[in-house]
Amino acid sequence: MNPNFAPTMKMAHHPVRSRGFTLIEMLVVISIIAMLAALTMGGYTYAMNGSKEKTTRGTFEAVKTALENYLSEFGEYPEPANEDQQVEFTLGKSYNIGGAACLYQAVSGDGFDQLKGVTSSGAEEASPSSDGKISGTEEVSHVMLKELPPTMWMKKGEFYILIDGFARPFQYIKAAPATAGNEPTTINSTYDLWSYSFDQVNIGKKSIDTLETPKDSIKWIKNW
């Protein structure tokens, strides 16, 4: 036997197994992903709602200015011809669009059939109904807002209406003349203008309805 020879020992080699996730670890990872997704969606929703509110307030102020221009031009505020006209916007949710249709025509000059008591008076014949565009000297002369962004109006069914940042119709009621024995129809002595804004519950209420329950209009953007 060779004295320089040392016997070697054979070592058993076992394949290294990759360590997988345990059930608890998987649940923790899923929970973290769910929380991050919720935070992301929550931030997105918050930003979108803020943008809609900002758009609504900007449009709101523009409409108020246009109404004062209308008063200066014609000596009175416009009055809706179909004050109680209802249109379904989403399944089971209808909105009053009479005021919004009146506002659209009053500020854009596009038609006049939604304006109570208004008739064509120009030499050039004007179309009584709206068509989404301005044409003819009479329509052009009645424009209260020179530029009406597409975010401010939409066509719903057969009606062209003025909308808020939530793509819902603005609400508008002209004050009735104060006469003895008549109940007021508005809070203001001129007109009531509002957007339901974030509110999706009290969409059937009018401004005058909120006098006894002001909390119903707490989410609205309004002029009272």
Side-chain angles (χ1 to χ4, degrees):
M1 184 173 180
N2 189 343
N4 296 322
F5 176 80
T8 58
M9 296 182 64
K10 292 184 178 181
M11 302 294 294
H13 294 280
H14 298 285
V16 178
R17 294 181 180 178
S18 58
R19 181 175 178 271
F21 285 111
T22 66
L23 178 59
I24 293 177
E25 289 171 331
M26 284 290 290
L27 290 175
V28 170
V29 171
I30 292 173
S31 298
I32 292 173
I33 293 174
M35 284 190 293
L36 290 174
L39 288 172
T40 302
M41 288 303 296
Y44 174 77
T45 301
Y46 179 82
M48 286 298 295
N49 284 340
S51 176
K52 291 176 181 179
E53 182 180 10
K54 184 177 180 181
T55 298
T56 300
R57 292 188 182 280
T59 305
F60 189 85
E61 293 304 318
V63 172
K64 285 169 61 179
T65 299
L67 286 171
E68 295 308 313
N69 291 341
Y70 192 98
L71 174 65
S72 178
E73 181 74 20
F74 302 108
E76 62 180 350
Y77 292 107
E79 182 175 358
N82 302 292
E83 189 173 296
D84 297 320
Q85 180 68 49
Q86 297 278 326
V87 170
E88 187 174 66
F89 270 64
T90 56
L91 186 62
K93 286 194 175 183
S94 295
Y95 287 83
N96 187 313
I97 56 94
C102 166
L103 287 175
Y104 170 80
Q105 291 189 345
V107 305
S108 72
D110 179 19
F112 55 86
D113 62 336
Q114 299 301 315
L115 301 169
K116 189 173 182 178
V118 176
T119 58
S120 179
S121 58
E124 181 178 341
E125 185 178 353
S127 173
S129 58
S130 302
D131 58 9
K133 56 188 177 182
I134 306 297
S135 59
T137 56
E138 184 169 356
E139 282 193 331
V140 172
S141 66
H142 284 64
V143 175
M144 297 296 111
L145 287 178
K146 297 298 182 185
E147 295 182 7
L148 200 62
T151 55
M152 284 182 62
W153 63 275
M154 71 183 298
K155 185 179 183 183
K156 193 69 176 177
E158 61 182 296
F159 301 98
Y160 287 84
I161 60 175
L162 220 59
I163 58 173
D164 58 19
F166 298 82
R168 296 194 290 264
F170 270 106
Q171 302 297 307
Y172 167 77
I173 302 177
K174 179 184 178 181
T179 54
N182 285 348
E183 291 292 330
T185 57
T186 57
I187 294 176
N188 294 312
S189 60
T190 51
Y191 64 85
D192 289 350
L193 174 68
W194 72 96
S195 157
Y196 290 116
S197 188
F198 296 101
D199 192 353
Q200 298 188 49
V201 176
N202 300 295
I203 59 175
K205 291 185 180 295
K206 296 183 179 181
S207 52
I208 199 72
D209 299 330
T210 67
L211 277 181
E212 294 184 0
T213 54
K215 62 185 179 71
D216 290 345
S217 64
I218 196 169
K219 294 181 179 179
W220 300 3
I221 295 172
K222 51 191 184 292
N223 71 333
W224 70 87

